[in-house]
Amino acid sequence: MTRPSTPPILSELRSSSSPASQVAALRALKNEIIGHEQKKEMWIGLGVLDPLVRILNSHKGSGKRRYREVHGIANQPKRRGSRTDEEEAHLQAIIILGSLAHGGPAYVSPLNAGLVIAPLLAVLSPTEFSPIAVLATLRTLNSMADSLSLEHSPVDSCEDGLHNLLYTEQHLNSVAQLLSQASLSLTVQQQISLAAALLTKTCREEAHRKMLAQAGILEALASRLSSFVVATGCYFVRGGCNPDTATTKNLPAATIKSRLAPILEAVGTIIKDSKPRAIQFLSAPALAAVFPRTDFDATSNYERKANTWNSHFVTSFATRQMSPNPIEVLLPQLPSVHYRGSLAQASNFPPLGAIGASGKQSQLSRTVSSAIEVIQNQACDVAEDDENPLIAWLIYIVRGESGITRLMAAWVLAIFYRVGLTNRRRETGFALLLIPLLVRMLDKDLKESVEVTSPYDSSTLRSSDWIMKEQAPAVLAMLAVDSLELQRAAVDAGAIKKLSQLLKETYDPLPTSSSTSLWAPQPLNLDNTDFKASASKLGASGLSPSAYHVTRMRETVLVALAALASLKDEYRKAIIDNGVVPLVIESLKPFNTPSSASDYSKIPVDEASKNRKALTGNPNIVILAACGAARGLSRSVSTLRTSLMDAGLAAPLFLLLRNQDAEIQVAATAVICNLVLEFSPMRDAIIEAGILKILCEHAHSMNASLRLNSVWALKHLVLTAPNTLKKTCLEELGPGWLKQIISNDSEDFRDKDMGLGTPIAMGTPNAAGEQVDLLNAVDESRESSQAFDDDVEEDLKMVDSIGALSRSGSDHKPNSIFSRLGNGRQNTLETSRWANAKDGESNSTNQSRTDDLAIQKEGLDFIRNLICGPGAPDMIDYMFSELGQDKIFDMLAGKLRGKVLHAFNRDRRLGENGVKHLPPQPEIITSVCYIIVHIAAGSPKHRQLLISQPELLKLLVPLFTHTHREVRGCCAWLVINLTWVDDQSDHLNCKARARELVQLGIYEQLQMLESDSELDVRERTKTAIHQMSQLLR
């Protein structure tokens, strides 16, 4: 018995006898494959994609829609009877491709190989193709994007793949046109929602976000969002202008058919992690029109009309005095404002990483990936009347809406909060109004009855409930990661218990898959299967939607737990008490992403889900999040000694240190920083396992983040370690390499060669005039280098003054000059803030300079810990012999001198003749001073050696009046150590040292510190003056 060579339908598609018969064949094929996975697989194997692509390419847009649009007859799609056979065949082919794409990731490979994406993207132009064809194409592309997200390796690297082809000027202009349509028809509103959703699903890289910002997509989205503002009646105007003509005339209207959630999600996807793009969005003409900058006077009028969108939205008005932002009257009156307190709390541990950063894998959360990827909480000191009214409107939406719309509004709010575009007083509002609603989204039996989900504003493969469970923890983490007030609000609302329960649920067995493969006469042998891309062969099946949901939820829950564990031991203990530590350890175990058919056959598969390859390991995004959670929990001494040790945290971390992915190595090294502290019970076992060699290898890495974390961990490792271990560590690192990273002044050469301006230094204002502490310096506890007990106490607190190395990419202002709508005063202000923020973010040279400074700081602290503790005099001698005595003092003096940047003729703003004098950074000064203090705490010969360095001591004199209290405290400690008498034989030399300090003017500077504002400095000064006065008698 032989199988027919070619089915009649396929024969008709390949060589149709007439257009009508081709349409009939297409409809028959559509009816056969929709909802029938086995038939889809069969038709792919028969090679149906080739004739479908030919049909797509044979139909060209007529270009007549623009004529119909101009004459007002383009709002409704053509009826079936009015479409030509060619147009109908084109539409049916698109629908069939959408059905195939809906089959999952296995169909991505043949669709890419069949070259179907390019002709589909060509249909996105609303001026060339009919509305129904554009709508069907958007649905197909969204289904493909959903399937791409389920691949084992979610990177569309195919040259003809969706991500590579969509992000071109031509197609992004088509998307911008789709978003800018003014029609009120259901078809157009569906197009807008699907276009926004397509951007959300495909925008994975920083380069994509830049392209979207430059293509005018942000302005188009702002226009869509402003239509919802107008529809809710929450816009306001100045001086009694007529809002119907002056404000809303040129804005598209939102109706009950419109969906806000996709617009907000697209906005958040583009502006996340970028203050310039956020400001670009807020300064869009459409938003300036509905939220003009108003003066608080009697002529300010607030217009609130009846809702034309979401008529169920009802808000009571408060009868209180109008604030500069009239929308505030729609929000509950809150208690007195509690400004965000300083986070400069003594701690032993590297600050937790940022929420949200790997754009390739995660839409709503930045993965906690390394100790240096610390949240750079840009200054939230926006003037009270400078906050955009959109912030208040978003809070209004969060309170009044539900479901996905509420979640996306909260996410956009969190982004504005993270980049510093909200008022400081908002933190209290977030704690009372926003955090409880986010925590409520974590409920197991959450019922959102208000919002009705629709097929064109949500994923076709995942429910809204799944999306909320995946993304609500990430939004919660963004808000709470470095705010004690918001963390307290989340814990009080029961976030820890709910998050712990969600994490446990991610390890429950996956539901049985209902899909089955098409029967074949011979068994499928994966080992011999050729997975080479082919238009007639399915690719790897990837993850099931339920497996993807579990992975995403596991990631975001771990991120949220890491955020809540960042500041208080009480919260860490609560997390541990909920029994999640074993699950955190389990989440550190990776699986190897298969690269061939034989690799797929070796992956552990759940018996109930064989056809979907339910993996038992964790992808990189989960491992990074688990590292963040482990780092947060290990910041507690008690957890290090009990729960984490019992759970076996060290073993999986050692494997991750050798992982091929550099980002995972960085995150694992960040956790090691906490495990090698002096009080850690795992320290000895980790040292015996060979951590020293691994860290020294990583310290020589070309990856700046890995290099920094490794030196950071080594700094902790050598503290209170035996001298033999310290010497071994220095030998393994290489004395020459250590001097190189500390003395690295490559930024000076770059500035001289490139004519660059002032670098963003540690503790200096950025281009926007905001005080940005790039090294995240925090106050350290006082240190007595003379007494070892004080050393131990200080280093147990072990405050590290290195923070994040910001990884923000560069952003460029769009080439187009947007027309000024609304109040020009606000536009000028926003544009200025945008330009200033862009200058501080776009220069990659500044980032390289910041990396160098951070590593220099940790290298200096490594030396500081190397020469303190028992046996310090021997280590000082060893350091001098290995590094060179004169070279060490020259290196320390060089760090205390200011730098001169020569910009030549390229930037005369730097000063006269293009020269800029930069003072040394406070954090570098502190590290240098502590090294000098430790040398002075050595033996009498070391004190004599130090006093014989007049050039170095002269550089210390101005530091007695430094603005940083810790620098002044170090200066007092130096005098104490230099005037300390070990025994009677050193008395005469000590008197001589005291006289030398007087001649240098240090004694006079010391007397000025007696009235210092800091108690610790005053107490140390009293001791120093007492010792000096005794010696000068």
Side-chain angles (χ1 to χ4, degrees):
M1 182 177 180
T2 60
R3 177 180 296 180
S5 58
T6 304
I9 293 178
L10 186 58
S11 299
E12 185 65 33
L13 293 179
R14 287 174 174 171
S15 56
S16 60
S17 57
S18 67
S21 62
Q22 186 182 62
V23 171
L26 287 169
R27 287 176 179 164
L29 176 61
K30 177 186 69 174
N31 295 334
E32 185 170 342
I33 68 172
I34 288 181
H36 202 306
E37 189 170 344
Q38 295 92 338
K39 291 294 183 68
K40 293 179 184 178
E41 183 178 348
M42 181 191 75
W43 281 103
I44 287 290
L46 293 173
V48 75
L49 290 181
D50 289 338
L52 291 177
V53 173
R54 188 173 63 253
I55 293 172
L56 289 180
N57 289 324
S58 64
H59 179 72
K60 304 298 181 183
S62 63
K64 297 180 180 179
R65 181 174 183 265
R66 180 176 294 277
Y67 173 84
R68 296 195 301 270
E69 183 179 26
V70 170
H71 290 78
I73 57 176
N75 289 341
Q76 298 297 330
K78 288 183 178 181
R79 297 178 179 272
R80 178 182 297 182
S82 63
R83 288 194 291 268
T84 65
D85 288 337
E86 182 185 13
E87 291 175 333
E88 184 66 24
H90 184 252
L91 177 61
Q92 294 298 324
I94 295 174
I95 296 174
I96 291 170
L97 290 173
S99 177
L100 294 174
H102 192 74
Y107 292 84
V108 172
S109 178
L111 289 173
N112 285 339
L115 304 179
V116 304
I117 297 178
L120 284 174
L121 291 174
V123 187
L124 290 180
S125 174
T127 60
E128 296 293 330
F129 292 89
S130 66
I132 193 66
V134 174
L135 179 61
T137 301
L138 285 169
R139 286 173 173 159
T140 298
L141 292 174
N142 271 272
S143 294
M144 293 187 65
D146 285 332
S147 296
L148 280 170
S149 67
L150 300 180
E151 289 187 311
H152 288 294
S153 180
V155 178
D156 185 20
S157 57
C158 176
E159 184 176 338
D160 298 310
L162 178 58
H163 299 85
N164 290 331
L165 295 179
L166 174 61
Y167 286 87
T168 61
E169 183 178 0
Q170 174 189 354
H171 298 315
L172 291 183
N173 286 337
S174 296
V175 174
Q177 293 177 14
L178 288 171
L179 294 172
S180 302
Q181 295 177 100
S183 172
L184 303 180
S185 70
L186 176 61
T187 299
V188 170
Q189 294 304 313
Q190 289 175 329
Q191 289 177 3
I192 292 171
S193 295
L194 285 169
L198 181 63
L199 295 179
T200 299
K201 296 170 185 177
T202 58
C203 184
R204 293 177 171 178
E205 302 172 359
E206 181 66 18
H208 292 165
R209 289 187 277 272
K210 293 178 186 177
M211 293 180 66
L212 292 175
Q214 294 171 355
I217 299 294
L218 274 179
E219 285 68 29
L221 290 171
S223 180
R224 303 309 315 177
L225 190 61
S226 65
S227 69
F228 289 95
V229 176
V230 173
T232 55
C234 293
Y235 56 88
F236 56 95
V237 297
R238 299 185 64 198
C241 296
N242 183 354
D244 293 331
T245 58
T247 303
T248 64
K249 181 178 179 180
N250 298 321
L251 296 177
T255 67
I256 193 64
K257 306 170 185 176
S258 307
R259 290 293 178 268
L260 177 58
I263 304 300
L264 290 172
E265 189 171 10
V267 169
T269 300
I270 299 174
I271 70 173
K272 70 175 183 178
D273 308 333
S274 174
K275 189 171 186 177
R277 288 195 295 270
I279 295 176
Q280 176 187 351
F281 175 73
L282 292 177
S283 55
L287 289 178
V290 294
F291 295 133
R293 187 177 178 85
T294 59
D295 293 324
F296 182 46
D297 55 26
T299 63
S300 295
N301 296 313
Y302 173 65
E303 298 288 343
R304 189 180 189 283
K305 301 296 184 183
N307 286 335
T308 58
W309 167 77
N310 261 9
S311 57
H312 66 269
F313 203 114
V314 179
T315 303
S316 60
F317 283 80
T319 57
R320 61 178 183 270
Q321 186 178 3
M322 182 77 71
S323 67
N325 178 2
I327 299 181
E328 295 291 339
V329 302
L330 303 178
L331 305 179
Q333 192 166 7
L334 301 176
S336 59
V337 177
H338 300 285
Y339 292 112
R340 183 181 314 187
S342 174
L343 295 178
Q345 301 175 5
S347 171
N348 272 346
F349 306 94
L352 287 180
I355 300 299
S358 180
K360 291 183 289 185
Q361 297 101 340
S362 177
Q363 293 298 329
L364 270 177
S365 68
R366 192 185 321 164
T367 307
V368 183
S369 59
S370 74
I372 67 164
E373 290 180 358
V374 182
I375 288 294
Q376 296 255 329
N377 182 29
Q378 303 183 45
C380 292
D381 53 358
V382 182
E384 186 71 15
D385 61 347
D386 204 20
E387 181 188 77
N388 194 291
L390 180 65
I391 305 299
W393 184 80
L394 287 173
I395 298 176
Y396 171 68
I397 292 298
V398 170
R399 284 176 42 76
E401 282 296 319
S402 61
I404 300 296
T405 303
R406 167 179 286 175
L407 176 63
M408 296 307 158
W411 181 38
V412 176
L413 275 173
I415 293 173
F416 287 136
Y417 173 73
R418 286 254 53 88
V419 300
L421 294 178
T422 60
N423 289 334
R424 294 175 64 188
R425 63 182 175 83
R426 287 293 179 199
E427 188 164 293
T428 298
F430 289 162
L432 298 177
L433 303 178
L434 187 56
I435 295 294
L437 294 176
L438 287 172
V439 175
R440 189 185 304 169
M441 294 181 189
L442 307 177
D443 290 344
K444 184 175 182 180
D445 300 323
L446 178 67
K447 300 296 182 183
E448 295 288 352
S449 58
V450 177
E451 182 182 61
V452 179
T453 58
S454 66
Y456 60 88
D457 65 354
S458 62
S459 172
T460 58
L461 296 179
R462 296 183 292 141
S463 67
S464 297
D465 181 66
W466 278 10
I467 295 174
M468 291 176 63
K469 290 293 192 299
E470 293 169 11
Q471 299 176 349
V475 180
L476 180 65
M478 289 181 67
L479 291 167
V481 64
D482 62 351
S483 170
L484 188 57
E485 183 176 3
L486 296 184
Q487 287 181 18
R488 184 183 301 112
V491 173
D492 291 345
I496 291 178
K497 182 177 180 181
K498 294 178 182 180
L499 289 169
S500 301
Q501 182 59 38
L502 288 178
L503 184 59
K504 294 174 183 177
E505 290 177 7
T506 65
Y507 282 95
D508 291 341
L510 291 176
T512 302
S513 174
S514 60
S515 62
T516 57
S517 297
L518 194 64
W519 180 87
Q522 298 190 0
L524 177 65
N525 187 351
L526 288 175
D527 288 331
N528 298 323
T529 301
D530 181 12
F531 267 68
K532 184 178 179 180
S534 170
S536 60
K537 188 178 298 182
L538 295 185
S541 58
L543 298 172
S544 66
S546 58
Y548 177 80
H549 165 64
V550 164
T551 299
R552 285 284 292 115
M553 187 165 68
R554 188 179 300 170
E555 174 210 354
T556 56
V557 168
L558 287 168
V559 168
L561 290 174
L564 296 179
S566 61
L567 298 178
K568 292 195 70 174
D569 253 1
E570 176 186 350
Y571 301 156
R572 298 182 194 115
K573 186 177 184 301
I575 292 173
I576 293 170
D577 290 343
N578 276 274
V580 301
V581 172
L583 302 180
V584 173
I585 306 301
E586 187 67 25
S587 300
L588 292 171
K589 299 177 181 178
F591 64 78
N592 295 321
T593 302
S595 58
S596 65
S598 59
D599 291 336
Y600 275 106
S601 65
K602 298 174 184 177
I603 295 176
V605 179
D606 184 83
E607 290 296 327
S609 307
K610 287 183 178 180
N611 298 296
R612 290 294 192 177
K613 303 298 183 294
L615 305 180
T616 58
N618 297 281
N620 287 0
I621 55 174
V622 174
I623 296 172
L624 294 172
C627 285
R631 187 169 72 250
L633 295 175
S634 63
R635 292 167 67 90
S636 168
V637 177
S638 59
T639 58
L640 271 176
R641 289 176 176 170
T642 54
S643 303
L644 295 181
M645 183 176 181
D646 295 340
L649 174 62
L653 284 176
F654 257 88
L655 296 177
L656 297 180
L657 289 173
R658 295 297 190 182
N659 194 281
Q660 295 181 353
D661 191 286
E663 195 174 6
I664 289 181
Q665 291 181 350
V666 170
T669 308
V671 185
I672 293 294
C673 287
N674 292 352
L675 303 186
V676 296
L677 286 164
E678 188 270 338
F679 54 78
S680 171
M682 306 181 211
R683 174 186 170 108
D684 293 338
I686 290 176
I687 293 175
E688 292 177 2
I691 191 64
L692 178 61
K693 184 176 180 63
I694 296 175
L695 292 176
C696 289
E697 290 177 2
H698 288 175
H700 290 79
S701 170
M702 295 299 293
N703 186 302
S705 303
L706 184 58
R707 196 161 64 245
L708 172 63
N709 278 6
S710 299
V711 179
W712 198 333
L714 288 171
K715 175 190 72 174
H716 286 175
L717 184 66
V718 299
L719 178 65
T720 71
N723 283 0
T724 54
L725 180 62
K726 292 181 177 181
K727 292 177 181 179
T728 302
C729 185
L730 184 57
E731 292 172 0
E732 195 74 33
L733 277 177
W737 175 87
L738 183 60
K739 286 188 294 185
Q740 179 182 351
I741 65 168
I742 294 176
S743 304
N744 184 13
D745 289 328
S746 58
E747 66 272 13
D748 295 336
F749 298 105
R750 285 194 295 268
D751 287 327
K752 292 177 183 179
D753 293 339
M754 300 174 62
L756 296 176
T758 306
I760 297 181
M762 298 177 293
T764 60
N766 65 5
E770 301 167 333
Q771 193 70 17
V772 178
D773 188 357
L774 291 182
L775 293 187
N776 194 27
V778 295
D779 293 336
E780 291 183 73
S781 60
R782 64 183 184 232
E783 171 181 349
S784 169
S785 296
Q786 182 63 37
F788 171 67
D789 288 343
D790 289 340
D791 275 328
V792 173
E793 179 182 356
E794 190 275 339
D795 281 309
L796 283 178
K797 294 184 179 179
M798 209 64 205
V799 175
D800 298 290
S801 35
I802 297 295
L805 304 184
S806 176
R807 297 298 174 202
S808 300
S810 57
D811 293 280
H812 306 283
K813 187 175 180 179
N815 295 326
S816 57
I817 305 299
F818 302 107
S819 60
R820 295 287 193 261
L821 296 180
N823 191 301
R825 177 173 151 197
Q826 175 167 341
N827 260 352
T828 302
L829 172 67
E830 297 289 0
T831 303
S832 175
R833 289 169 58 190
W834 174 16
N836 289 338
K838 181 182 67 174
D839 291 341
E841 181 176 312
S842 62
N843 197 336
S844 60
T845 304
N846 283 339
Q847 181 56 57
S848 178
R849 181 181 301 113
T850 304
D851 294 352
D852 289 344
L853 290 173
I855 296 172
Q856 288 176 37
K857 173 70 169 63
E858 289 304 301
L860 290 168
D861 286 344
F862 172 81
I863 294 178
R864 164 186 168 184
N865 288 353
L866 200 68
I867 60 175
C868 75
D874 292 339
M875 285 306 304
I876 295 174
D877 291 334
Y878 181 78
M879 179 188 67
F880 283 153
S881 66
E882 292 295 317
L883 301 180
Q885 176 179 300
D886 294 337
K887 291 183 178 180
I888 287 179
F889 286 123
D890 290 343
M891 178 183 67
L892 297 178
K895 292 301 172 185
L896 296 178
R897 294 192 185 99
K899 297 180 180 179
V900 179
L901 300 182
H902 300 275
F904 298 105
N905 294 324
R906 300 189 185 186
D907 192 348
R908 294 296 183 181
R909 296 174 298 173
L910 294 179
E912 187 177 356
N913 297 325
V915 176
K916 176 67 176 182
H917 297 274
L918 292 179
Q921 292 77 24
E923 292 76 11
I924 297 293
I925 292 175
T926 302
S927 296
V928 170
C929 286
Y930 275 125
I931 292 176
I932 298 173
V933 167
H934 280 311
I935 294 175
S939 63
K941 70 174 183 179
H942 297 136
R943 290 191 277 276
Q944 286 299 115
L945 183 63
L946 187 58
I947 203 66
S948 64
Q949 306 293 325
E951 294 301 321
L952 178 61
L953 294 177
K954 287 178 182 178
L955 293 172
L956 293 173
V957 175
L959 301 183
F960 280 80
T961 56
H962 199 275
T963 55
H964 283 233
R965 71 163 187 86
E966 193 169 10
V967 174
R968 302 194 303 273
C970 283
C971 292
W973 272 120
L974 177 62
V975 175
I976 292 173
N977 289 349
L978 285 175
T979 57
W980 182 265
V981 181
D982 272 344
D983 51 46
Q984 196 61 31
S985 62
D986 186 45
H987 185 72
L988 292 178
N989 290 334
C990 195
K991 292 175 71 71
R993 292 196 296 269
R995 288 193 294 270
E996 182 66 24
L997 293 176
V998 173
Q999 293 178 5
L1000 291 170
I1002 289 180
Y1003 186 65
E1004 181 181 354
Q1005 295 289 332
L1006 190 64
Q1007 290 176 321
M1008 297 174 60
L1009 293 181
E1010 287 187 292
S1011 57
D1012 193 272
S1013 59
E1014 294 291 334
L1015 175 62
D1016 181 68
V1017 176
R1018 294 198 302 271
E1019 292 300 318
R1020 302 288 78 80
T1021 301
K1022 289 179 183 179
T1023 304
I1025 290 178
H1026 172 72
Q1027 291 183 188
M1028 287 277 291
S1029 60
Q1030 293 291 326
L1031 294 171
L1032 294 175
R1033 287 180 181 175

